[in-house]
Amino acid sequence: MTATAVLTARAFLLDMDGTLVNSDAVVERIWRRWADRHGLDGDEVMKVVHGRQGHASMALLLPDRPAEQNIAENARMLAEETSDMDGVVPVPGAPEFLAALRGLPHALVTSADVGLSTARMAAAGLPLPDVRVTAESVGASKPDPEGFLKGAAELGIAPADCLVFEDSGAGIAAGRAAGMRVIGVGPRAAAHGPDAVVRDLTRLRVEPVGDGAVRLHVG
């Protein structure tokens, strides 16, 4: 899709990290330390971890390790991430974009758990949407579409009428697998074939048009 586009939808499903909140600094710190502990190349690890739940990333990076160990280590890393908010800031345009969605159907769909998502949104000064699908809500991590399908169901909107906002390959794949159109946000997104790509959320304008429909102006 071209850099300038207009899409019509009835609901908006929003990833958090990299989409609403720039948490790259802490993600890099935590995961590069993890890579060092396990003798892995940090650059290769960073290619995998964005968008997925931690234990799902570990399963890809340490395929011979039992799932129980991944889940246990992920719990420790979540606690570490939740206590580290240094450098967590809003993606440009996020406060205004969320304000424009007030009163319209939208949901947070994140691979973070309740504690981490609450802490990062607060650190970035962003309001939490009323509908939230977190790690505890699903049985499978992105790129599985379960989270986005649950978000659509909670809002009562058909998947085809939802727009997903994502930055990562795993998240974009999840949105597509859910049968939804995807707006890619930020520098990671373009390589993964979203329907449209924006540098940040300042490039979006929301226009309600009646009968529950909303136009999104991109670019």
Side-chain angles (χ1 to χ4, degrees):
M1 185 170 282
T2 59
T4 301
V6 179
L7 299 92
T8 301
R10 293 181 178 275
F12 298 79
L13 302 179
L14 316 171
D15 174 53
M16 182 183 70
D17 291 303
T19 302
L20 296 173
V21 173
N22 183 345
S23 57
D24 282 0
V26 62
V27 172
E28 288 266 346
R29 283 195 296 274
I30 298 288
W31 279 99
R32 286 186 182 276
R33 286 200 295 264
W34 182 88
D36 287 344
R37 289 197 300 271
H38 292 282
L40 299 175
D41 182 271
D43 291 340
E44 294 304 312
V45 166
M46 295 313 302
K47 293 176 183 178
V48 171
V49 300
H50 292 290
R52 291 180 171 86
Q53 292 185 37
H55 65 81
S57 296
M58 293 172 191
L60 292 173
L61 293 161
L62 297 173
D64 297 326
R65 193 165 78 156
E68 294 78 9
Q69 289 185 31
N70 294 335
I71 290 168
E73 188 169 30
N74 183 51
R76 294 192 295 271
M77 287 181 69
L78 279 171
E80 189 178 355
E81 287 184 273
T82 303
S83 67
D84 184 355
M85 293 295 130
D86 187 21
V88 174
V89 295
V91 167
E96 296 81 4
F97 184 54
L98 286 172
L101 295 183
R102 193 175 298 125
L104 301 174
H106 67 287
L108 187 72
V109 182
T110 175
S111 294
D113 65 3
V114 169
L116 182 58
S117 59
T118 302
R120 281 192 178 157
M121 290 289 281
L126 299 175
L128 280 166
D130 291 338
V131 176
R132 299 184 288 278
V133 180
T134 62
E136 297 93 338
S137 309
V138 297
S141 171
K142 300 172 185 176
D144 192 280
E146 181 184 359
F148 287 122
L149 292 172
K150 282 199 168 185
E154 287 198 36
L155 293 171
I157 305 295
D161 290 326
C162 295
L163 278 179
V164 165
F165 297 78
E166 267 285 0
D167 72 301
S168 71
I172 291 167
R176 287 201 167 283
M180 302 172 183
R181 292 159 294 160
V182 182
I183 308 299
V185 180
R188 282 188 289 269
H192 303 288
D195 294 277
V197 183
V198 292
R199 180 185 68 240
D200 56 42
L201 299 175
T202 66
R203 312 302 296 177
L204 303 176
R205 182 167 64 85
V206 175
E207 179 193 10
V209 292
D211 293 328
V214 182
R215 287 197 192 108
L216 181 76
H217 298 261
V218 180

